[in-house]
Amino acid sequence: QVQLVESGGGLVQPGGSLRLSCAASRSIFSFNGMGWFRQAPGKQRELVATIAFGGNTDYKDSVKGRFTISSDNAKNTVYLQMNSLKPEDTAVYYCNARRFNDNDLWGQGTQVTVSS
């Protein structure tokens, strides 16, 4: 059973920064790709950022220039660096792994709250 463990969420003021981590229990190269989603109260879950392990990344328009997704293959970990945070970024953030011949794998979620 492969597991994703998320950490790094918390309360931050507008304009502040957080770094989310998603540690996998096996090599992240075993996945087709990984990404971060978020879900605000009463809202649909939405894609925030994706990374392919050839290095290509993609982002939701509203976070471009503020968020950066990256990976540390030796640590089996994917990160989401979030800068210039806005109240609209408040949500539960979920790590996702797309798997070969199987359903997507999801982390448990970590709360990010941006407020004064």
Side-chain angles (χ1 to χ4, degrees):
Q1 179 66 47
V2 182
Q3 185 179 9
L4 303 178
V5 179
E6 298 163 321
S7 61
L11 175 64
V12 65
Q13 294 184 1
S17 298
L18 287 172
R19 188 178 74 162
L20 306 183
S21 299
C22 174
S25 59
R26 63 187 297 173
S27 173
I28 58 178
F29 289 131
S30 66
F31 307 126
N32 289 343
M34 296 183 71
W36 289 91
F37 290 71
R38 68 186 182 188
Q39 188 168 22
K43 305 292 185 180
Q44 294 280 89
R45 187 172 297 188
E46 63 181 2
L47 179 65
V48 177
T50 59
I51 185 166
F53 297 118
N56 291 336
T57 59
D58 198 15
Y59 300 90
K60 176 181 172 65
D61 284 346
S62 64
V63 309
K64 287 180 178 177
R66 300 190 296 121
F67 291 11
T68 303
I69 188 170
S70 62
S71 63
D72 185 335
N73 301 328
K75 295 183 177 180
N76 298 334
T77 299
V78 169
Y79 303 96
L80 185 67
Q81 178 67 46
M82 304 185 294
N83 299 325
S84 302
L85 282 161
K86 304 175 180 180
E88 305 91 83
D89 297 317
T90 296
V92 178
Y93 284 70
Y94 297 90
C95 184
N96 173 81
R98 179 144 287 182
R99 298 190 287 184
F100 296 101
N101 301 316
D102 206 349
N103 296 324
D104 284 7
L105 184 66
W106 294 91
Q108 79 284 356
T110 185
Q111 177 71 48
V112 172
T113 302
V114 185
S115 176
S116 298

